[in-house]
Amino acid sequence: MPREQGEKLIASNKKARHDYAIEKTYEAGLILTGTEVKSLRQGRANLTDGYAYIDGGQAYLDAVHIPEYSQGHWTNHSAKRTRKLLLHKEEIIKLSHAVSAGGYTLVPLRLYFLDGRAKVEIAVAKGKREFEKRQTIREREDKREAERAMRTRNRLGE
């Protein structure tokens, strides 16, 4: 059987981009059990409540919901267990320094397969306050309005 090629998105955390200001992103592998991989291949996962943390020189992903595999039996996994992230030691040190500096957290943004291997994109992020969220929405709407005006102006000019 030929190996998978390319990237297949399983789940994305759109709410994270709204609630946090993303500073830097990292790609990490995941240590999963067999039924977790099968459940992910069916495209079932939820990153909304998930977060990552550093403990004892290791990175972990917690509260990410990967539902039980429908055709599994007693070997099935628990849906919200803590999963170990595969990162280089230097990356773990950078992440731990960023989080310990204060105000920053590790948030999962996307869960996907890259050439057949499960990967998660985690971000060093700082929480936005309510007025910052409103400002971001306002800027996005203003940009959309300006593009719309340019399109109508270009059509009239032709």
Side-chain angles (χ1 to χ4, degrees):
M1 188 165 124
R3 230 179 111 128
E4 286 185 40
Q5 294 294 314
E7 186 176 301
K8 179 187 171 197
L9 183 66
I10 300 162
S12 65
N13 191 353
K14 294 177 185 173
K15 189 177 179 193
R17 295 199 184 272
H18 176 72
D19 291 342
Y20 297 96
I22 307 299
E23 298 288 324
K24 188 163 177 149
T25 61
Y26 293 89
E27 180 182 69
L30 284 163
I31 294 181
L32 300 171
T33 63
T35 55
E36 285 175 319
V37 175
K38 289 179 180 185
S39 186
L40 287 178
R41 291 215 186 273
Q42 291 177 338
R44 300 169 63 207
N46 187 356
L47 297 173
T48 307
D49 299 329
Y51 63 95
Y53 64 93
I54 309 292
D55 185 30
Q58 299 293 327
Y60 297 95
L61 186 65
D62 200 9
V64 170
H65 184 76
I66 299 175
E68 289 186 350
Y69 182 55
S70 58
Q71 288 139 6
H73 44 83
W74 60 271
T75 59
N76 237 337
H77 64 279
S78 63
K80 282 201 172 187
R81 74 178 187 90
T82 302
R83 295 164 182 94
K84 189 172 176 182
L85 294 175
L86 301 173
L87 288 162
H88 291 285
K89 193 169 209 150
E90 299 85 31
E91 290 176 328
I92 293 173
I93 292 168
K94 283 180 190 177
L95 290 172
S96 66
H97 286 315
V99 172
S100 65
Y104 290 98
T105 186
L106 301 177
V107 180
L109 296 178
R110 296 185 311 142
L111 187 61
Y112 56 96
F113 281 109
L114 183 66
D115 296 333
R117 292 193 167 96
K119 303 282 183 180
V120 64
E121 182 180 36
I122 58 172
V124 176
K126 190 171 213 158
K128 285 185 185 177
R129 285 180 254 141
E130 196 62 38
F131 73 89
E132 292 172 332
K133 293 178 193 176
R134 284 194 298 267
Q135 183 179 358
T136 304
I137 292 169
R138 191 176 312 114
E139 287 172 358
R140 190 176 340 129
E141 288 174 354
D142 289 346
K143 183 179 174 186
R144 215 177 278 150
E145 228 174 84
E147 287 174 357
R148 201 174 293 133
M150 290 296 288
R151 269 197 308 258
T152 57
R153 186 174 155 214
N154 286 340
R155 287 184 191 148
L156 295 175
E158 291 177 358

